[in-house]
Amino acid sequence: MSEFSLTIATAAQMRALGRSLATVLRAGDLVLLSGGLGAGKTTLTKGIGDGLGVRGPITSPTFVIARVHPPVGSATATGERRPALVHADAYRLGSVLELDDLDLDTDTAASVTVVEWGGGLAEGLAADRVEITITPDEANAPVIGVNGDDRAGDPDDPTVDVPRMVRISTVGERWEGIKLPLASLANRL
């Protein structure tokens, strides 16, 4: 297991982080996202979708529980088959049995599966996974409005960028020896 943390200052940087993560994701990979409401889980998933080249729009699956985003085009420039993105939300699920009823595991072999609020429920979908926790880091940076002005504001206001601490852990043999490109972003974002 490897782990590192970085600070992401804006929604655009969160999306860039997702695009960067997508460069090492492949069919069969599971990504579990944890964090409060408005933490940036769906924004990160949008970046993953951008990087995988899937059809969108990617929106929060809270009310539909899970969405499948097929790839645009069947192969990459190198001829590799593109995986679909399964984007699920476990927030409304009360147990592992309810998650099992979604049959997400039938899609995991051919897809990258991202589960928001998946901690404690979705680990059984794959022994190998990436676990990402996003938390506000309000104490260490100013609140920045989307037009770039420094201002105090409500961290739940979608027009305000609040810096986030992002902790990324890899679990399982799949990730042994794989260098996440995200580590290099820690100093650039």
Side-chain angles (χ1 to χ4, degrees):
M1 181 165 144
S2 67
E3 181 177 310
F4 67 93
S5 296
L6 63 155
T7 300
I8 301 297
T10 67
Q13 289 177 352
M14 186 68 77
R15 201 159 175 163
L17 181 65
R19 283 191 299 273
S20 180
L21 178 61
T23 65
V24 295
L25 293 174
R26 64 180 190 211
D29 285 342
L30 173 65
V31 179
L32 301 180
L33 303 179
S34 300
L37 290 171
K41 297 179 297 294
T42 300
T43 301
L44 180 65
T45 305
K46 287 177 182 183
I48 292 171
D50 292 345
L52 293 175
V54 300
R55 277 188 246 154
I58 294 174
T59 59
S60 177
T62 299
F63 296 104
V64 295
I65 309 296
R67 287 192 171 94
V68 177
H69 298 277
V72 175
S74 59
T76 66
T78 61
E80 296 176 61
R81 182 176 166 91
R82 290 180 186 261
L85 172 64
V86 174
H87 184 202
D89 189 321
Y91 183 74
R92 294 178 178 263
L93 303 179
S95 69
V96 173
L97 292 174
E98 288 182 27
L99 181 67
D100 191 49
D101 286 344
L102 296 177
D103 282 334
L104 290 178
D105 54 344
T106 62
D107 293 321
T108 57
S111 304
V112 170
T113 303
V114 176
V115 182
E116 295 187 25
W117 305 92
L121 288 174
E123 291 86 354
L125 291 174
D128 303 310
R129 61 191 175 273
V130 177
E131 298 176 352
I132 301 174
T133 303
I134 306 168
T135 54
D137 187 21
E138 299 157 15
N140 294 322
V143 176
I144 303 170
V146 292
N147 61 359
D149 61 327
D150 289 351
R151 62 185 171 86
D154 179 0
D156 295 323
D157 180 346
T159 66
V160 174
D161 278 326
V162 175
R164 312 282 194 231
M165 285 300 303
V166 179
R167 184 177 46 84
I168 302 170
S169 304
T170 57
V171 178
E173 289 180 28
R174 151 76 171 107
W175 297 103
E176 286 181 18
I178 293 187
K179 182 174 168 75
L180 294 178
L182 313 172
S184 66
L185 291 174
N187 295 328
R188 293 188 324 184
L189 292 178

